[in-house]
Amino acid sequence: MPTSSKVAPSPLLMERLETEPGVSAYHDMADGWKLHSETWAPPSPIAVLLFSHGWHESTRSLGVRRLAHACQSRGFVLVAFDTHSHGLSLEKAGVRLPEKKRGCIESLDVCGMHLAEMASVVVKEHRLPLVVMAHSLTASALVFSTRKVVEAAKAAGGNVVGAVYLAPPPPGLAPRCFPDCCFDSCLPALCGGCVCAAPKAITPGLNPELVLGENRN
């Protein structure tokens, strides 16, 4: 007979770990996009983490604010930026995108070029060892642009000491007809497909107002 049990939530696990807003800035990219960023800096940083969020997220997403909290407690500067056509990065060549274009990226290639340019910006400003982290959609871009990011950081006088790709397939997820090596290579480019196919009734839960709160899916 099936049984069930209830476990009291741990105060540590249930603690609110998000932090206050960071310092906002805007950066002009070579292709005309104006990208918004937020920076959180501890008193005596040892390194800087450049973070690129996933599809339909922003620097105001709960996960980013919790990452900022973790970075500050570990001595890392966090620089998170809004992918083009996301968050507050809605202007290109002086023209603001209509709201219906929010979330419509131009290509992964553009995301990769922006990652490299932002790496250069961060290295020049902070002069610290650089770690690059990307999630979901932009992790796919980082997979294909890591070399560009490393070269941009070196040209700016810095050094990439690590990269984190937050879009791996869970072990054993590959279907029997699809070898693991191919699955590992191809899945990052498809990450986010489940969100694209979500029922229309779920779409309003993507927090278009970019406000932290209880309704922040």
Side-chain angles (χ1 to χ4, degrees):
M1 175 180 291
T3 60
S4 63
S5 61
K6 293 183 179 180
V7 179
S10 163
L12 179 62
L13 294 179
M14 298 303 290
E15 180 186 357
R16 303 289 294 228
L17 297 176
E18 57 267 30
T19 188
E20 296 299 316
V23 177
S24 287
Y26 286 87
H27 313 274
D28 293 321
M29 301 290 102
D31 60 1
W33 278 99
K34 184 182 289 290
L35 300 188
H36 168 258
S37 73
E38 282 189 73
T39 299
W40 292 263
S44 301
I46 60 174
V48 57
L49 174 64
L50 175 64
F51 179 72
S52 185
H53 61 74
W55 187 63
H56 266 298
E57 295 184 285
S58 73
T59 66
R60 298 185 182 183
S61 296
L62 185 65
V64 176
R65 297 299 170 86
R66 290 188 168 182
L67 181 61
H69 180 281
C71 284
Q72 287 183 309
S73 67
R74 290 164 174 79
F76 275 70
V77 175
L78 174 65
V79 179
F81 69 96
D82 289 327
T83 299
H84 69 284
S85 76
H86 285 70
L88 299 178
S89 296
L90 297 175
E91 182 181 319
K92 183 180 182 182
V95 178
R96 181 182 171 85
L97 267 66
E99 194 61 31
K100 65 181 180 180
K101 291 293 185 179
R102 180 182 293 277
C104 298
I105 66 164
E106 293 183 345
S107 69
L108 288 180
D109 207 26
V110 170
C111 292
M113 289 189 293
H114 290 170
L115 272 163
E117 289 186 69
M118 286 301 298
S120 178
V121 168
V122 167
V123 165
K124 290 178 180 178
E125 180 174 352
H126 297 282
R127 299 296 176 184
L128 291 167
L130 175 64
V131 178
V132 185
M133 179 187 292
H135 171 233
S136 188
L137 170 72
T138 57
S140 304
L142 183 58
V143 166
F144 301 114
S145 64
T146 299
R147 183 169 297 178
K148 290 181 181 178
V149 171
V150 170
E151 291 172 351
K154 284 184 177 179
N159 187 32
V160 175
V161 296
V164 183
Y165 308 86
L166 299 175
L173 186 61
R176 283 175 291 181
C177 61
F178 204 25
D180 283 331
C181 58
C182 295
F183 200 66
D184 289 352
S185 301
C186 296
L187 185 66
L190 303 175
C191 187
C194 56
V195 179
C196 298
K200 296 295 183 182
I202 297 178
T203 306
L206 292 175
N207 191 14
E209 296 85 11
L210 309 175
V211 177
L212 291 175
E214 294 309 314
N215 183 18
R216 58 179 184 272
N217 294 325

